[in-house]
Amino acid sequence: LPARNAMRNPNIILICKKYAPCTPQLDAIALEVTFYWTDTDGRGILRCLKPFSRELIMSGKVSNPQVGLVLGSDSDWHVMREATKVLDDFGVGYEVNVISAHRSPQAAHDYACSASERGLKVIVAAAGMAAHLAGAMAANTTLPVIGVPVASGALGGIDALLATVQMPPGVPVATVAIGVPGARNAAVLAVQILALADPGLGKKLDEHKKALAEKVAQRSKKLAEKIANKQDEETPGETGG
């Protein structure tokens, strides 16, 4: 029945990719949340038709994922999709899951515990407010964990930043900036970690650094031209006065 509706309604899509189950419970829940719809504003956020399972949906996966992107809520996708763009640019495979440290703690535990055996090399966890997701990941895996604080609620992300960065000794979370800049940096940092064992990624990072430097040089040149043009316009007036 949902499939028939999907044919009539272009806003409903069918996710056919198989969820890599951490536990039989997660696999069973994944079967319950096969159908999703996208936001009408074109952002492409995937929402579950059964809200009680929204923390456990898989909103995207690339073959041979090395980076696990974990979101505390699907509302964090507008931030973390920027991380996927960076990973796409470097050709790094990733998977995206929505798992809440508070609403689905067992799922968070099982995901982190099984991450290494499933082939992941780095976990990037994004959450807002009482952002304990990255810490929950780090507590249950020896993989590097990068935390992305998301701005939400009354404190504009400061609460998420402190909740993510203030980890006890022995359980580190590499915490980046709040929001989109942090998501991008988290992806770059993940690539840098992977590049330690992948010379090809190392070369791409060298090219990335050169591109950053070229952009700065271009902006400096444009600013110099803008200043020069402004001085040229003002000089006759000052002289004539």
Side-chain angles (χ1 to χ4, degrees), residues 59-192:
S59 55
K61 187 173 181 179
V62 177
S63 60
N64 301 320
Q66 292 183 286
V67 179
L69 302 178
V70 187
L71 288 63
S73 170
D74 57 349
S75 62
D76 301 331
W77 175 242
H78 72 285
V79 171
M80 289 305 292
R81 66 179 172 179
E82 297 299 323
T84 67
K85 294 177 182 178
V86 173
L87 294 174
D88 285 337
D89 288 342
F90 281 96
V92 172
Y94 57 87
E95 64 180 25
V96 182
N97 290 275
V98 179
I99 302 176
S100 171
H102 302 111
R103 295 182 292 264
S104 56
Q106 188 62 50
H109 172 274
D110 293 342
Y111 182 90
C113 288
S114 66
S116 180
E117 66 185 52
R118 291 187 291 109
L120 296 182
K121 305 299 183 188
V122 185
I123 294 176
V124 180
M129 300 177 71
H132 298 144
L133 183 58
M137 293 290 113
N140 292 289
T141 184
T142 57
L143 295 178
V145 176
I146 304 170
V148 181
V150 177
S152 60
L155 301 182
I158 297 299
D159 47 355
L161 173 61
L162 295 177
T164 304
V165 73
Q166 289 290 77
M167 291 296 294
V171 191
V173 168
T175 307
V176 293
I178 298 170
V180 169
R184 291 174 179 165
N185 277 345
V188 173
L189 180 54
V191 173
Q192 290 176 330

Side-chain angles (χ1 to χ4, degrees), residues 28-82:
I29 292 174
L31 295 176
E32 291 290 326
V33 294
T34 304
F35 295 93
Y36 302 80
W37 72 82
T38 58
D39 280 357
T40 55
D41 63 3
R43 289 185 300 169
I45 297 175
L46 300 179
R47 297 186 184 276
C48 178
L49 287 177
K50 296 190 176 183
F52 67 89
S53 296
R54 64 184 290 190
E55 296 89 355
L56 301 171
I57 66 173
M58 186 180 80
S59 55
K61 187 173 181 179
V62 177
S63 60
N64 301 320
Q66 292 183 286
V67 179
L69 302 178
V70 187
L71 288 63
S73 170
D74 57 349
S75 62
D76 301 331
W77 175 242
H78 72 285
V79 171
M80 289 305 292
R81 66 179 172 179
E82 297 299 323

